Amino acid sequence: MAVAFDSARWEALAAARTRGDVGDGIASVLALLGRTDVISFAGGFPAPETFPREHVAALVQEFAAAGELSAFQYAPTRGLAGTLDAFTGRLERLQGRRPAEDELLITSGSIEALELVGKSFLDPGDVVVVEGPTYLGAIQSFRSFEAELVAVGFDEHGLDVEELERRLAGGVRPKLLYTIPDHQNPAGVSLAADRRAALVELARGYGFLVVEDVAYRELGFGGESLPSLWSLGPDVVVQAGTTSKTLFPGVRLGWAAGPAEAVDRLVAAKQLTDQCAGALGQRLFEESERRGWIDDQLERSRALYRGKCDRMLAALERSMPNSARWTKPGGGFFSWLTLPGIDAFELAERAIEHGVAAVPGTLFFPDGRGADSLRLSFSLVVEEQIDEGIARLGAIL
Ligand SMILES: Cc1ncc(COP(=O)(O)O)c(C=O)c1O
């Protein structure tokens, strides 16, 4: 007698935490990226012209010629000593705070840092507060731990901290609050300075941990930035950072910086996932940082993304109906387009038929909101195609 491995069998075998919509949202976005006939404002990938191909080739050659075997070997779970030192120096230089040895961990991309936070702190049913809208990967990551997600409002100055305060006073008791304070994904706005200080005070007052995602922090078009939450509240904030947008994402590399009590737990959790971030990526980052190449690359990247963003905003101005509103990002990859009375899912489907892709807003909320909004990403689209893409979207409307 054999059991049929049909879809019902797979459903029965799968863990409860994998059911629901976990994975589907990102998969549908990635599927659009493969289509060459579409002008895509969908994927939030970095522009390939920013990739430091020659530097990477030279460094790998250097490691091989010098017999530097640590670049090819397993690394300690926290990271290679030299790379930790390079990250420590960079954090001190850019954020004005130097993490102690036990306050820093090198991760395999920042999505792994979120995964480790979930593994270490979330039991089924625990409450995680997010900003609505927020990063789809984070929604899916926290959901995979069967957390209950509560979305707090958001405006052009970022998370509505006063609303958060009211919700806390009203009895919401999060273990974690996840926020992207700089050039947020998907809305492209940043958290105002006074709200940053107030948020840290709320975390102290109510005893929850803030998870600060700084994926776009170093991509401010003007190069300037507000104090990071971690620098304001190193006792209550875990910062998840990534080199995906500043170096390149092909080596999965990022960091988690936070209170030693939290980082120790993340280190323990990492021993049960991949044990260590790839040593080759760590060495590439370290050498690029020490030689000043990352800052040079960032300067070029900022100029490139600023140009694409300006072009997209100008095209929106020309092509959108009067009722439409969109955010004016000061950095990062995204603008958030709101079209009152329009069903964005339907619009996204029709746009694909006309050779344009954008992501419907509901994917970025844990509670079904965002039905009249689209995320427009300008990072990857070819600059010369931006006008045409936005004009096509406008024509459908
Ligand atoms: C806000 C945010 N956090 C994290 C990530 C993931 O970064 P990484 O490549 O380091 O996993 C992304 C990637 O799109 C992102 O937009």
Side-chain angles (χ1 to χ4, degrees):
M1 262 252 299
V3 174
F5 274 70
D6 53 14
S7 57
R9 185 69 203 135
W10 285 113
E11 190 63 22
L13 285 174
R17 67 178 167 276
T18 68
R19 299 196 188 116
D21 63 351
V22 175
D24 295 350
I26 280 191
S28 66
V29 174
L30 295 181
L32 296 174
L33 284 172
R35 284 189 49 178
T36 49
D37 56 329
V38 167
I39 301 175
S40 179
F41 299 97
F45 284 21
E49 54 267 46
T50 65
F51 297 160
R53 290 179 297 171
E54 282 163 18
H55 283 154
V56 170
L59 285 173
V60 174
Q61 174 73 32
E62 218 177 287
F63 299 154
E68 203 223 276
L69 300 182
S70 66
F72 302 93
Q73 189 53 282
Y74 288 107
T77 301
R78 271 186 197 271
L80 291 168
T83 314
L84 283 163
D85 184 61
F87 270 113
T88 300
R90 191 168 173 84
L91 286 172
E92 182 173 27
R93 181 159 60 84
L94 296 185
Q95 298 187 30
R97 186 172 193 280
R98 190 177 173 83
E101 235 170 69
D102 53 2
E103 293 178 335
L104 184 64
L105 163 69
I106 296 175
T107 61
S108 301
S110 56
I111 192 72
E112 195 211 12
L114 301 183
E115 170 84 12
L116 297 177
V117 166
K119 252 190 179 157
S120 306
F121 292 100
L122 294 177
D123 287 317
D126 283 344
V127 173
V128 178
V129 168
V130 298
E131 50 212 10
T134 190
Y135 171 46
L136 173 58
I139 294 179
Q140 293 183 316
S141 178
F142 295 133
R143 279 223 175 115
S144 76
F145 295 100
E146 298 171 71
E148 186 194 325
L149 268 61
V150 174
V152 167
F154 192 82
D155 59 26
E156 70 272 28
H157 305 295
L159 178 77
D160 186 341
V161 175
E162 282 184 6
E163 182 191 328
L164 172 66
E165 190 168 3
R166 285 194 297 276
R167 302 282 285 270
L168 292 167
V172 172
R173 287 291 172 268
K175 263 194 178 172
L176 305 177
L177 178 140
Y178 170 77
T179 178
I180 311 158
D182 308 290
H183 321 300
Q184 199 244 21
N185 178 5
V189 304
S190 294
L191 186 63
D194 56 337
R195 293 189 185 185
R196 292 178 187 234
L199 176 56
V200 166
E201 281 316 311
L202 286 176
R204 289 184 178 131
Y206 284 91
F208 58 85
L209 195 61
V210 174
V211 182
E212 176 189 36
D213 185 331
V214 291
Y216 303 94
R217 179 175 172 83
E218 292 170 34
L219 285 170
F221 298 149
E224 71 298 315
S225 45
L226 292 169
S228 69
L229 295 172
W230 168 70
S231 70
L232 295 173
D235 49 334
V236 288
V237 179
V238 172
Q239 178 177 94
T242 177
T243 62
S244 292
K245 330 281 169 174
T246 50
L247 192 59
F248 63 102
V251 287
R252 311 291 300 124
L253 194 68
W255 71 88
E261 292 80 356
V263 173
D264 282 350
R265 287 177 168 84
L266 305 190
V267 173
K270 189 165 172 62
Q271 279 157 4
L272 305 175
T273 56
D274 63 355
Q275 230 171 61
C276 64
L280 184 58
Q282 294 191 44
R283 289 289 293 124
L284 291 173
F285 167 82
E286 181 184 342
E287 288 305 318
S288 303
E289 167 65 8
R290 294 202 190 288
R291 297 174 198 204
W293 292 344
I294 295 191
D295 288 347
D296 291 347
Q297 183 183 333
L298 262 174
E299 212 171 299
R300 289 191 298 274
S301 299
R302 287 184 192 121
L304 177 80
Y305 295 131
R306 189 192 314 124
K308 290 189 182 200
C309 179
D310 286 348
R311 186 137 182 188
M312 192 176 83
L313 296 182
L316 287 167
E317 207 65 65
R318 281 195 303 276
S319 305
M320 286 297 121
N322 281 339
S323 58
R325 284 174 280 119
W326 55 90
T327 58
K328 315 238 169 356
F333 288 2
F334 310 103
S335 173
W336 184 251
L337 174 64
T338 304
L339 300 154
I342 300 276
D343 177 340
F345 237 108
E346 211 178 294
L347 175 63
E349 274 173 9
R350 287 195 54 199
I352 284 286
E353 289 162 18
H354 290 78
V356 192
V359 187
T362 41
L363 283 180
F364 305 100
F365 285 86
D367 51 18
R369 279 183 289 159
D372 62 355
S373 300
L374 284 178
R375 185 189 75 173
L376 296 174
S377 169
F378 49 81
S379 58
L380 193 61
V381 63
V382 178
E383 191 164 339
E384 291 67 38
Q385 294 186 335
I386 289 177
D387 297 351
E388 173 64 21
I390 296 294
R392 283 189 204 172
L393 204 58
I396 303 169
L397 286 165

